[in-house]
Amino acid sequence: MNVEGRLFAVVSVSYKEILHIVRDWRIMLLLIIFPPLFALMIGSAFEVTELSRVPAILRDDDRSAESEKFSQVLSADPTFAWRKDAPPVNATDLLHAGVQAIVVIPPGWGASLNNGDPIPIQATLDGTDTTTASALEGVLGQALGNFQLTSRQEMVDNLPEEVIALGKQIPVDFRNRIVSSMAPWTIKSEILYNPKLRFIDFVTPGIVGLILQLLTVTLMAVTITREREAGTFSQLMLTSLRRWEIIVGKVLPYLGLSLILILIVLTVIGAYFGVKFSRIEVLSIICFLFLICSLGLGLLISALCNTQAQAIQFAVFFMVPVIPLSGAFAPLEQLPIGIRYVSEVFPLTHFCRAFRLINLSNAELSFIAADVIVLALGALVTCIAASLLLRRSL
């Protein structure tokens, strides 16, 4: 068969697969509605990482002028939604109180600020999710620090004239040391690559990759098994079509659909969340290789399974560890060193790393060469393995 004949064979298989897609309204619904919907839902979950309106109780057991001022400072912070007239509760019973924080200003706190032995403010925080407690503790510490600076400035402004006159007799060098010790010591930092620290910019490749892999692997996983259950697969294999022609013909329709889905998802994320994309041509290559790898993986699962139910189960089994271990939504540095080696098996890991290096860090191509090679090898190995397994499926 000449080249035109082989090309016609591939197009015929692709046309047959397109008819399967178009005729199944459930697949069309999955492809048209879910990608932009998932992009909005998942993106909204990660767009803002600062805590706000956290239910909390502030109990002032001191009832002094100082505690009243500090209560006003806390009330102005949008991090907390304080219960103004909350009934008396046990300071360690967050669950029954229905809050995530209980802050108690103990009796004598205001007086202790003036006698040189300040009493600590008591805070009970919910540590269920491992991040809320530390974030709230930081907000409380910052509020207390600001209150202390304000109080210190008021104290300096109200010093008696005799003290001021006496202070002028102190040597200038020693006076500067006192001023320096009382002023807050700060750090001037410069943040690169994601200067606004927007978490949505970090998780964008994870959102794109997860949506695409979820759809491509699942849909490709049922292509051959669907025909095997319908009895048409054996007929297809008995034709003059070569295995690679069947593979290419099966992959092409889903590749075209996936490229459209990438455009839709990136457009939604860029327009709605304000994520900017740089070096589109390089990102396109990374997305293309990731798609081929994911489609090949789905086709491999389809060649291994006998029924659509088995294929879906295998696809789900593969996707479950990918979500927490690929670095899509959390840095890989948070994982134990042994688990990090396991994460290198997943194509999504290399996709997210290469995508971020280009889009956020504007890295040179040498920095993503290893990830690109892994994606290319993954695409090649899965497609070849699926092609070889087709003969065994007869």
Side-chain angles (χ1 to χ4, degrees):
M1 188 181 295
N2 55 23
V3 176
E4 291 79 7
R6 295 299 176 191
L7 181 60
F8 178 77
V10 172
V11 173
S12 299
V13 176
S14 298
Y15 178 72
K16 178 177 176 294
E17 195 66 29
I18 291 174
L19 291 179
H20 279 299
I21 297 173
V22 174
R23 290 173 180 173
D24 193 335
W25 65 269
R26 293 166 297 185
I27 294 181
M28 293 301 298
L29 184 69
L30 187 69
L31 291 173
I32 296 174
I33 296 180
F34 281 2
L37 181 62
F38 283 172
L40 289 173
M41 292 175 58
I42 300 175
S44 297
F46 296 111
E47 181 183 16
V48 179
T49 56
E50 293 83 6
L51 296 174
S52 63
R53 307 296 298 169
V54 176
I57 293 177
L58 176 59
R59 203 177 75 198
D60 186 0
D61 292 344
D62 185 35
R63 302 295 180 180
S64 63
E66 288 80 3
S67 64
E68 180 64 26
K69 291 180 181 178
F70 183 58
S71 297
Q72 293 176 359
V73 172
L74 289 178
S75 299
D77 195 311
T79 304
F80 297 95
W82 298 107
R83 294 188 183 176
K84 300 297 184 180
D85 53 352
V89 295
N90 188 336
T92 60
D93 191 359
L94 297 176
L95 184 62
H96 289 89
V99 295
Q100 291 183 273
I102 297 178
V103 178
V104 178
I105 303 177
W109 179 75
S112 70
L113 300 180
N114 301 318
N115 62 18
D117 187 19
I119 301 174
I121 289 179
Q122 302 169 7
T124 305
L125 307 173
D126 186 350
T128 302
D129 62 1
T130 72
T131 58
T132 298
S134 57
L136 295 181
E137 191 173 26
V139 172
L140 291 172
Q142 183 178 7
L144 185 60
N146 293 336
F147 175 76
Q148 184 179 7
L149 287 176
T150 303
S151 300
R152 182 187 302 163
Q153 186 61 46
E154 291 179 355
M155 180 183 65
V156 172
D157 293 340
N158 295 322
L159 285 174
E161 293 294 336
E162 298 82 4
V163 175
I164 296 177
L166 183 62
K168 292 180 179 180
Q169 301 177 18
I170 300 176
V172 176
D173 292 343
F174 192 75
R175 192 188 312 165
N176 291 337
R177 289 178 58 187
I178 296 176
V179 172
S180 178
S181 66
M182 295 182 64
W185 295 351
T186 60
I187 298 175
K188 183 180 180 180
S189 59
E190 181 183 7
I191 300 176
L192 302 178
Y193 311 131
N194 187 10
K196 295 182 179 179
L197 295 178
R198 296 209 320 157
F199 194 56
I200 184 63
D201 290 336
F202 172 81
V203 299
T204 289
I207 295 174
V208 175
L210 183 61
I211 293 174
L212 292 177
Q213 194 163 65
L214 181 63
L215 293 177
T216 54
V217 172
T218 304
L219 292 177
M220 284 301 301
V222 300
T223 54
I224 295 178
T225 54
R226 180 182 59 233
E227 295 203 26
R228 186 179 286 115
E229 289 182 340
T232 59
F233 179 69
S234 297
Q235 299 175 10
L236 183 64
M237 293 298 296
L238 292 175
T239 63
S240 60
L241 294 173
R242 297 179 179 178
R243 290 193 301 272
W244 71 266
E245 294 171 345
I246 297 176
I247 293 293
V248 174
K250 290 286 186 183
V251 168
L252 278 180
Y254 294 100
L255 177 60
L257 283 173
S258 299
L259 292 174
I260 296 175
L261 293 182
I262 286 180
L263 182 61
I264 294 174
V265 173
L266 291 180
T267 300
V268 170
I269 293 177
Y272 188 83
F273 300 109
V275 177
K276 299 185 182 300
F277 301 101
S278 59
R279 302 172 68 181
I280 301 298
E281 68 285 353
V282 181
L283 294 181
S284 300
I285 296 174
I286 296 172
C287 291
F288 179 79
L289 290 175
F290 175 70
L291 280 180
I292 296 295
C293 189
S294 299
L295 291 170
L297 181 62
L299 197 61
L300 179 61
I301 294 175
S302 185
L304 286 170
C305 300
N306 295 319
T307 65
Q308 295 186 62
Q310 290 178 351
I312 293 176
Q313 289 173 356
F314 267 86
V316 172
F317 178 79
F318 172 78
M319 291 302 299
V320 167
V322 167
I323 297 174
L325 301 182
S326 63
F329 303 111
L332 289 176
E333 289 73 17
Q334 293 183 1
L335 299 175
I337 188 65
I339 303 298
R340 293 186 206 174
Y341 292 120
V342 177
S343 68
E344 298 296 327
V345 177
F346 305 122
L348 186 57
T349 301
H350 302 278
F351 171 75
C352 291
R353 182 187 295 135
F355 197 104
R356 290 183 185 123
L357 283 171
I358 294 298
N359 196 50
L360 293 180
S361 305
N362 195 26
E364 300 175 359
L365 296 181
S366 58
F367 285 89
I368 66 169
D371 295 305
V372 170
I373 292 174
V374 170
L375 290 176
L377 288 177
L380 186 63
V381 170
T382 52
C383 289
I384 292 177
S387 178
L388 295 175
L389 286 173
L390 287 179
R391 173 180 294 181
R392 198 183 70 177
S393 301
L394 285 174

